[in-house]
Amino acid sequence: MKPLGRVQGYHSDATLVALDELEVRSYISEPERGPRRWQDKRTGETPPEKRAAQKALYGNRRRTRGARGRRLQRRRGELVERPFAHQYETGGMRRVWVRGHENVRKRVLIQAAACNLALLLRRRTGTGTPRSLQGRAPSAIFRWIECLIGPWGRLRPICGLPWPPTALIGPIAHPQAT
């Protein structure tokens, strides 16, 4: 496989050809652009690299317009695009006040990680938002304590760790530990 070089977008010819060479079925949505010219203007022949790109593009187009491609695009909208839209609108990522592309990338990465962590915590605790924890505070606190102490209880017999975990609690809470 040839190196891709500079790739202009995820629907570029180089990306589609590379996926085709790896025998990966692509379902990449096609941007709206004009008709493609595959033939050379002077000779009227289609060069071999353009033939490979044409084959990959038409295969991708056929797959994305099928029933499975449309179903995958709907799932992408539900599972991927909606959380990003939420981050950009509600999370304040539309206008980022940091300098440089590298710092913007870091900020987006941290924001996405926080969003994913929030989803995991909501699934784990069964609570939708932090505000809804107000009514369920005691049960949520006990659930968190269980989550924190559970792994300690499983590691204690294996590693010979003391109980209660005095290193975590400290000598102030347990004067007899000093």
Side-chain angles (χ1 to χ4, degrees):
M1 186 173 87
K2 297 177 198 168
L4 293 177
R6 185 178 166 119
V7 178
Q8 297 289 323
Y10 59 90
H11 192 272
S12 67
D13 290 346
T15 302
L16 291 175
V17 169
L19 290 173
D20 196 40
E21 287 176 0
L22 292 172
E23 297 179 2
V24 174
R25 284 186 301 215
S26 60
Y27 290 88
I28 301 172
S29 60
E30 192 172 357
E32 292 183 20
R33 55 182 169 209
R36 301 288 303 265
R37 294 186 188 172
W38 300 107
Q39 290 86 15
D40 191 350
K41 289 182 181 179
R42 283 180 248 126
T43 62
E45 296 287 322
T46 304
E49 63 272 0
K50 290 287 185 179
R51 253 186 256 125
Q54 183 181 19
K55 177 182 171 265
L57 185 128
Y58 287 160
N60 180 63
R61 184 181 290 171
R62 178 180 41 80
R63 285 187 294 273
T64 55
R65 292 182 181 177
R68 183 166 192 253
R70 292 179 192 272
R71 189 172 64 245
L72 289 172
Q73 288 296 329
R74 275 194 303 273
R75 291 204 58 200
R76 174 185 172 192
E78 292 172 8
L79 301 176
V80 177
E81 299 292 336
R82 190 174 294 156
F84 277 122
H86 182 69
Q87 286 178 31
Y88 275 88
E89 295 300 324
T90 309
M93 294 300 295
R94 181 75 58 200
R95 293 177 187 87
V96 179
W97 294 91
V98 294
R99 289 186 180 185
H101 289 288
E102 189 63 29
N103 290 333
V104 171
R105 279 192 208 110
K106 290 177 192 175
R107 173 71 192 266
V108 169
L109 179 67
I110 294 295
Q111 182 89 8
C115 182
N116 290 336
L117 182 63
L119 288 174
L120 289 172
L121 291 176
R122 280 188 205 123
R123 174 159 292 193
R124 179 79 177 189
T125 60
T127 311
T129 60
R131 173 114 17 215
S132 64
L133 273 175
Q134 291 175 347
R136 300 174 51 167
S139 64
I141 290 171
F142 289 131
R143 214 177 280 153
W144 275 106
I145 291 171
E146 180 184 342
C147 290
L148 293 174
I149 292 180
W152 184 268
R154 287 191 297 272
L155 285 175
R156 191 173 52 87
I158 297 169
C159 302
L161 299 171
W163 186 259
T166 54
L168 295 176
I169 296 172
I172 296 171
H174 292 289
Q176 68 271 16
T178 56

